[in-house]
């Protein structure tokens, strides 16, 4: 027989903790009341580049070669987004038991209840070669296509109000931020051909074939700053059990 271990709860859900100390109280769904924490460093720091190259060469009157090349990259460096919609919570009014991680003991400034720090790098390029032509009864096109893209992303969630107090009043659950990191590589290869056949003066028959192959490699991880996230999740879903 297995008995699930239970822990006493200090307070209600995390949202109730935030609303308890927020200067303006609960915001509900009124977006016009949304605000941001003064001095929290709100910023959007994005940069993108896009290049393309097209080369067309007429081999003869009925045969044409075309090359299409594309390249794009995107970087988001330390952009800071707040999601709570409140103007920050004075640290002096929040008991230490409700403060997270390294900010325990801090009594000045404003606490950020829910925010993201975003770091993303995306790089992609494509190459396509086409050969097209026509005869007295048909026009056709054939080609090959290849693309490759890479996404490296780290989203850091900041929670200076202790999100763990609803589960257990233990220091091991006390983290103020955690990272979600993902890395993905994708490649696509395709070969295709298509032709339009004139059958008489009023009928055109189109035929075509395409083969595509995709390959994706993915790695992802969630981690916190003091190693307690795994324990927190196990408690949250009731994974701790005692055998009797």
């Amino acid at each position: 027989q297995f008995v699930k271990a239970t822990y006493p709860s200090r307070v209600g859900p995390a949202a109730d903790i935030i609303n308890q100390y927020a200067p303006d109280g609960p915001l509900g769904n009124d977006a016009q009341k949304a605000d941001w924490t003064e001095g929290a460093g709100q910023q959007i720091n994005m940069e993108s580049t896009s290049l393309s190259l097209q080369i067309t060469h007429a081999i003869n009157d009925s045969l044409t070669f075309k090359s299409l090349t594309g390249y794009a990259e995107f970087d988001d460096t330390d952009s800071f987004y707040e999601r709570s919609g409140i103007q920050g919570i004075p640290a002096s009014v929040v008991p230490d038991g409700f403060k997270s991680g390294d900010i325990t003991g801090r009594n000045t400034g404003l606490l950020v209840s829910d925010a993201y720090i975003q770091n993303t790098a995306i790089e992609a390029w494509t190459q396509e070669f086409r050969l097209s032509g026509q005869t007295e009864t048909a026009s056709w096109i054939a080609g090959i296509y290849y693309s490759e893209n890479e996404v490296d992303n780290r989203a850091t969630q900041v929670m200076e109000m202790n999100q763990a107090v609803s589960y257990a009043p233990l220091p091991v659950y006390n983290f103020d931020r955690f990272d979600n990191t993902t890395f993905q590589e994708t490649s696509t290869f395709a070969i295709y051909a298509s032709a339009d056949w004139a059958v008489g003066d009023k009928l055109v028959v189109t035929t075509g074939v395409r083969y595509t192959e995709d390959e994706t490699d993915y790695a992802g991880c969630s981690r916190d700053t003091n190693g307690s996230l795994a324990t927190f999740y196990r408690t949250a879903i009731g994974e701790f059990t005692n055998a009797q």
Side-chain angles (χ1 to χ4, degrees):
Q1 180 181 5
F2 293 90
V3 178
K4 184 182 296 183
T6 58
Y7 298 89
S9 175
R10 284 197 206 173
V11 294
D16 292 339
I17 304 170
I18 296 171
N19 289 330
Q20 180 179 353
Y21 297 104
D24 293 333
L27 298 177
N29 295 319
D30 188 352
Q32 293 184 338
K33 294 182 179 179
D35 208 339
W36 293 271
T37 304
E38 181 180 356
Q42 294 276 349
Q43 65 172 346
I44 296 178
N45 187 19
M46 300 177 180
E47 183 177 342
S48 63
T49 301
S50 180
L51 302 172
S52 62
L53 175 65
Q54 177 176 309
I55 300 173
T56 302
H57 174 60
I59 299 174
N60 54 43
D61 292 341
S62 61
L63 193 61
T64 301
F65 170 80
K66 181 175 288 187
S67 172
L68 302 169
T69 305
Y71 174 80
E73 66 178 18
F74 171 83
D75 292 292
D76 187 354
T77 307
D78 290 330
S79 290
F80 187 94
Y81 311 86
E82 278 199 80
R83 304 195 310 169
S84 64
I86 63 176
Q87 64 182 3
I89 303 171
S92 58
V93 305
V94 180
D96 268 357
F98 296 155
K99 297 175 184 177
S100 296
D102 296 334
I103 67 170
T104 299
R106 171 179 155 192
N107 293 312
T108 59
L110 299 174
L111 305 183
V112 177
S113 61
D114 188 10
Y116 270 99
I117 302 171
Q118 188 71 41
N119 284 275
T120 303
I122 302 174
E123 186 175 12
W125 70 272
T126 62
Q127 178 63 59
E128 183 173 0
F129 296 115
R130 297 177 184 171
L131 194 63
S132 60
Q134 58 184 23
T135 66
E136 292 182 358
T137 59
S139 60
W140 58 271
I141 183 171
I144 60 175
Y145 171 88
Y146 182 79
S147 71
E148 190 173 284
N149 65 74
E150 181 179 292
V151 179
D152 191 356
N153 179 72
R154 185 177 82 251
T156 301
Q157 186 171 5
V158 180
M159 305 173 295
E160 293 184 346
M161 293 292 287
N162 190 346
Q163 307 293 292
V165 294
S166 296
Y167 294 101
L170 302 174
V172 69
Y173 302 113
N174 193 19
F175 56 90
D176 60 348
R177 63 183 59 201
F178 66 90
D179 290 343
N180 286 315
T181 59
T182 58
F183 180 79
Q184 179 173 298
E185 288 182 320
T186 303
S187 62
T188 299
F189 170 78
I191 184 169
Y192 60 89
S194 177
D196 293 329
W197 307 87
V199 180
D201 296 332
K202 297 182 179 180
L203 180 63
V204 175
V205 177
T206 299
T207 60
V209 63
R210 181 184 180 96
Y211 171 80
T212 301
E213 184 177 291
D214 295 308
E215 182 177 344
T216 299
D217 293 321
Y218 173 87
C221 180
S222 295
R223 66 179 184 88
D224 63 279
T225 56
N226 65 1
S228 65
L229 183 59
T231 306
F232 170 74
Y233 278 138
R234 285 196 297 269
T235 304
I237 65 175
E239 187 174 308
F240 283 124
T241 58
N242 293 323
Q244 292 185 352

